[in-house]
Amino acid sequence: MKPKRRKDALVVHELPEEMLVYDLERHKAFCLSRNIAWIWRHCTGQRTPGQIARALEAEIGAPVGEDVMGVALHRLSKAHLLREPIGLPAASARSSRRQLLRHAATLGGLTILAISAPTVGQAATCVPAGTCVNSACKDASGRVCCSGASSCRQNSMVCGTGQTGFQCM
Amino acid sequence: MTLTAASASRTRLGGLAAGALSSAWRPSPPPLALTAGELSEVEPVLLGAGAGGLGWGRIRGSGLESTPAGAAFHQAYRHQALAYLLRRTRIAEVVQRLRGAGIEPIMGKGWALARLYPEPGLRPCGDIDLYVGRQDYAAAALALRGEIGELVDLHCGFAELDDRDEAELRARSRLATAGEVTVRIFGPEDHLRLVALHALRHGLLRPLWLCDVAVALESAAADFDWDYFARGPYRRADWVFVALEAAHAILGARIEAVAAGRRRVRLPSWLVPAVLREWGAARPPQGARVPIADLLRQPGALGRALLLRWPNAIEATIGLGSPFNELPRLPLQIGECLRRTFLFSVRRAHGPITPAGHRG
């Protein structure tokens, strides 16, 4: 198996300590810590996990077990960042989760963090014109249209059908 | 808690927010002088104001990154960094739709301001604010049907720059690259003026707006035309310089950038406390409040909504076209309240005054 990273429909932003990835198909955003970003970048479809692990060892000057590499690839796969899905390697079943995490931590972490919108920011009490709402002119959080509680109209072309087929005016 | 104590508490919180945001728009801001406890206090204020990314810019490298507030600011920064890149694509699509209809919009605020910050992620992109001449508004709204409101704020005319000639605004505008296309943005003089007047008109409600004034001020190049910037009705020019001085006094913006010899206005003594109190209160801005008309039959909610809308001293000064001086603001605030009530009544009787889709 030679893992290959997905390139289509992704927006990638590299920062000094991490990499931000936005999936345009699933509308999900991730933050890859430095080492897992390095692994993902080297999933070119030309190297086996073992070869990538050895290259990472050379890069960071610390041992990288195959178990840890397997977990990293599985996490990338679960985030739909690889072309082919990769399951958790059988070998990892032998290592305890705690051991794996400790090992991963020595590498500076192998985390993929989901990025969500700041929760307090944009704390609007109503929703602006153009927003898709339900037939009671309310969005999923129960906020009414800023233009008024009866100021939405059916617009299935934009908002789809059913409960979301209305749009604030 | 007494009213005085509540006011003091808000002013203190606003002061902490000002401390957290001081110089936050610069590539290498000085070390932050807040404790972890103070940062925690100010977290909801900054996040609520869309200044979480700037908060991150200020605390990274300070040892406060791993605090809960630090983690929240970091998430805001990441979110905004990606949003900045994604927004370029949407801007390109929207601008091309307008160009397809033969209309060349000018962009301001939002992304056009975010690009002045040293890195994506510090400032949220907000709406796509597009300005078109009144004669083009109907055609532009038609070209953008389905887009206006959700993401695009299409302005009929040039809002706070309505004392400028459209031809001059266009002649002074610049081109900026948004992904694959170039978009027209206001020239630096007009943009700073727009940002300053917009922030004042909304009572400097959000700390982010004063950071915008600071970043636009410090971005002024050597060829910035201060005479053109100050040109126009005397009072309005005065207001613009009040905004610059406020950015200097509250956030430490470098006012020396203002051309030598240009008059400096003196801030009235009530202004800085009023701004800090407002920041500490963290009121939602206009456009993010439930309309009064929907609350007329809910007395409790109506009372709260009216309190939320009580104009602060700055809003009242601008709303009534008054000067910033040491005279008491309460009469102006009452006057502004009456003016708004009158406008509300007229709107209720005759329908909206401003064209649909036009929001401040």
Side-chain angles (χ1 to χ4, degrees):
Chain A
M1 176 200 49
K2 292 178 176 174
K4 190 167 187 181
R5 73 182 170 118
R6 206 181 118 202
K7 285 186 176 173
D8 298 336
L10 294 177
V11 173
V12 178
H13 183 52
E14 296 216 30
L15 295 167
E17 295 295 320
E18 56 197 22
M19 181 188 278
L20 308 180
V21 182
Y22 186 82
D23 185 336
L24 291 165
E25 285 174 357
R26 292 171 182 80
H27 298 290
K28 287 193 171 169
F30 301 102
C31 171
L32 278 54
S33 62
R34 187 193 286 183
N35 286 334
I36 205 158
W38 191 96
I39 292 169
W40 187 57
R41 214 180 289 120
H42 287 78
C43 288
T44 55
Q46 291 169 342
R47 294 181 187 188
T48 64
Q51 289 170 324
I52 298 172
R54 282 188 287 283
L56 180 58
E57 282 176 356
E59 174 76 17
I60 63 176
V64 179
E66 296 247 343
D67 274 9
V68 171
M69 179 57 63
V71 169
L73 291 173
H74 176 61
R75 287 179 180 174
L76 287 168
S77 170
K78 264 176 55 179
H80 299 280
L81 297 178
L82 297 178
R83 285 202 174 178
E84 302 294 334
I86 294 180
L88 205 57
S92 69
R94 289 196 297 272
S95 316
S96 73
R97 179 177 163 77
R98 184 174 294 178
Q99 278 176 316
L100 270 175
L101 292 178
R102 193 180 300 138
H103 195 168
T106 61
L107 303 175
L110 290 171
T111 53
I112 299 181
L113 184 68
I115 303 174
S116 55
T119 48
V120 186
Q122 294 95 41
T125 60
C126 59
V127 287
T131 309
C132 292
V133 289
N134 62 23
S135 55
C137 300
K138 290 182 178 175
D139 74 353
S141 310
R143 299 174 304 175
V144 295
C145 295
C146 291
S147 48
S150 56
S151 299
C152 63
R153 61 170 178 212
Q154 197 146 22
N155 189 349
S156 303
M157 299 239 328
V158 174
C159 299
T161 54
Q163 280 294 297
T164 55
F166 290 77
Q167 191 177 27
C168 289
M169 291 192 288
Chain B
M1 190 186 282
T2 63
L3 275 177
T4 316
S7 171
S9 164
R10 285 175 183 166
T11 306
R12 179 183 161 276
L13 195 54
L16 292 179
L21 292 176
S22 168
S23 310
W25 60 89
R26 294 190 188 130
S28 306
L32 185 68
L34 295 188
T35 64
E38 288 171 333
L39 195 67
S40 167
E41 276 185 81
V42 88
E43 176 201 333
V45 174
L46 296 193
L47 286 179
L54 283 166
W56 174 248
R58 204 68 173 77
I59 66 162
R60 63 183 158 195
S62 71
L64 293 170
E65 299 96 325
S66 55
T67 60
F73 291 157
H74 201 176
Q75 276 290 64
Y77 171 85
R78 289 169 176 143
H79 187 265
Q80 289 169 189
L82 279 174
Y84 178 88
L85 300 176
L86 294 168
R87 189 55 51 83
R88 290 191 311 193
T89 313
R90 293 291 289 128
I91 288 169
E93 287 168 5
V94 166
V95 168
Q96 279 175 325
R97 272 172 75 172
L98 284 176
R99 283 181 181 153
I103 298 161
E104 178 73 4
I106 305 183
M107 269 189 77
K109 303 191 292 179
W111 182 86
L113 270 174
R115 57 184 283 284
L116 295 180
Y117 285 80
E119 54 190 292
L122 290 180
R123 190 204 192 276
C125 290
D127 294 338
I128 300 175
D129 281 277
L130 297 172
Y131 298 78
V132 296
R134 289 185 179 277
Q135 71 284 357
D136 291 328
Y137 180 80
L142 190 66
L144 293 180
R145 62 186 178 278
E147 298 274 5
I148 298 173
E150 192 159 16
L151 191 62
V152 178
D153 198 355
L154 182 66
H155 296 258
C156 178
F158 296 91
E160 286 87 354
L161 298 175
D162 59 1
D163 58 339
R164 303 288 203 230
D165 179 51
E166 181 177 347
E168 183 148 36
L169 288 172
R170 291 194 175 280
R172 288 179 174 268
S173 66
R174 308 272 172 96
L175 289 172
T177 306
E180 306 280 304
V181 304
T182 55
V183 296
R184 192 163 291 282
I185 56 172
F186 284 113
E189 296 86 0
D190 290 319
H191 209 183
L192 177 55
R193 191 178 168 91
L194 172 73
V195 169
L197 288 172
H198 173 263
L200 286 176
R201 186 161 66 85
H202 291 288
L204 295 177
L205 212 61
R206 304 181 87 191
L208 183 67
W209 293 336
L210 205 56
C211 289
D212 289 342
V213 172
V215 79
L217 170 63
E218 292 190 4
S219 303
D223 63 349
F224 191 93
D225 187 343
W226 288 101
D227 288 330
Y228 171 74
F229 173 73
R231 194 193 303 163
Y234 178 81
R235 181 143 301 162
R236 205 180 277 207
D238 222 38
W239 289 345
V240 174
F241 283 104
V242 163
L244 304 191
E245 290 288 348
H248 170 64
I250 297 169
L251 295 175
R254 294 191 186 111
I255 198 84
E256 310 83 59
V258 176
R262 175 130 335 261
R263 70 202 161 85
R264 296 267 303 267
V265 294
R266 204 169 68 82
L267 291 181
S269 57
W270 53 264
L271 192 136
V272 171
V275 173
L276 298 183
R277 211 163 37 242
E278 195 62 80
W279 290 3
R283 284 196 297 168
Q286 276 178 18
R289 301 172 185 166
V290 177
I292 285 286
D294 288 352
L295 301 171
L296 290 177
R297 290 187 187 149
Q298 304 171 42
L302 181 63
R304 283 193 297 277
L306 288 174
L307 269 181
L308 204 63
R309 283 165 170 78
W310 174 251
N312 72 22
I314 300 163
E315 281 175 289
T317 304
I318 298 288
L320 294 179
S322 307
F324 282 89
N325 56 28
E326 294 292 347
L327 291 176
R329 297 293 109 175
L330 186 59
L332 293 180
Q333 288 171 280
I334 294 169
E336 172 66 1
C337 223
L338 293 173
R339 187 185 74 92
R340 287 181 185 181
T341 308
F342 170 73
L343 288 176
F344 174 73
S345 309
V346 171
R347 258 198 301 268
R348 289 273 291 171
H350 302 291
I353 292 170
T354 52
H358 175 94
R359 291 188 284 123

